[in-house]
């Protein structure tokens, strides 16, 4: 193979990947699967900032998350409910981490630990979306905190599933 052939091969390797591919030349990390195994959330720096991307494994496409990723916010540690309706994650503004919840149905974000004065990390959401657990340094050591979003939230359950009334 001549010099021109080698240079041509290098050009193929250095071309940017199409935006629709799961893996990229950027850092893609902290994967989280939904309970039904359809949705994959992960942190990526594809757009020059730390953001959370959502990928439909069945359709092999990225899903738009309007209002979630903002240029002045660092996002990390995603966790998905059963069908991927609810997404919890760490949102850091000016270095202060908070546990946040994004509802894909309403496209709204809620900061859940805004009144906490201590550090939080590693949030996880229950399959039905009611409970959120995370680590907190409230007592000067890492402890587990459980947030109950209450019995009146819209649960993330498959259509047709009977709901037990308390």
């Amino acid at each position: 193979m001549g010099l021109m052939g080698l240079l041509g091969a290098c050009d193929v390797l250095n071309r940017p990947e199409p935006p629709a591919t799961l893996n990229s030349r950027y850092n893609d990390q902290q994967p989280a699967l939904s309970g039904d195994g359809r949705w994959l959330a992960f942190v990526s720096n594809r757009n020059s900032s730390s953001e959370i991307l959502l990928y439909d494994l069945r359709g092999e496409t990225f899903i738009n998350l309007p209002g979630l990723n903002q240029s002045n916010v660092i996002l990390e540690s995603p966790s998905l409910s059963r069908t991927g309706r609810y997404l919890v994650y760490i949102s850091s503004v000016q270095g202060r981490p908070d546990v946040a919840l994004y509802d894909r149905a309403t496209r709204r974000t809620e900061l859940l630990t805004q009144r906490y004065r201590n550090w939080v990390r590693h949030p996880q959401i229950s399959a039905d979306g009611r409970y959120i657990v995370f680590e907190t340094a409230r007592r000067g050591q890492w402890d587990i905190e459980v947030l109950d979003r209450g019995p009146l939230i819209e649960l993330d359950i498959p259509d047709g599933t009977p709901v037990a009334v308390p």
Side-chain angles (χ1 to χ4, degrees), residues 111-139:
L111 290 179
L112 302 175
T113 58
Q114 197 169 15
R115 293 188 173 98
Y116 277 59
R117 297 186 185 273
N118 299 294
W119 292 96
V120 294
R121 66 183 187 186
H122 305 298
Q124 295 289 313
I125 191 165
S126 63
D128 64 7
R130 179 172 175 174
Y131 297 98
I132 297 167
V133 297
F134 56 92
E135 296 175 34
T136 179
R138 184 186 303 230
R139 299 181 320 137

Side-chain angles (χ1 to χ4, degrees), residues 52 54 64-69 79-81 84-89 100-112 125 132 149:
I52 293 177
L54 184 66
N64 191 19
L65 299 171
L68 178 67
N69 295 302
S79 175
L80 293 164
S81 60
R85 173 178 177 174
Y86 298 114
L87 167 67
V88 296
Y89 56 95
L101 175 111
Y102 180 78
D103 183 342
R104 287 183 47 219
T106 64
R107 299 177 174 184
R108 296 181 64 191
T109 298
E110 177 184 359
L111 290 179
L112 302 175
I125 191 165
I132 297 167
R149 296 179 57 219

Side-chain angles (χ1 to χ4, degrees), residues 50-71:
S50 174
E51 60 184 14
I52 293 177
L53 300 179
L54 184 66
Y55 189 76
D56 179 351
L57 292 167
R58 284 190 208 149
E60 297 181 356
T61 59
F62 282 96
I63 304 303
N64 191 19
L65 299 171
L68 178 67
N69 295 302
Q70 299 170 14
S71 62

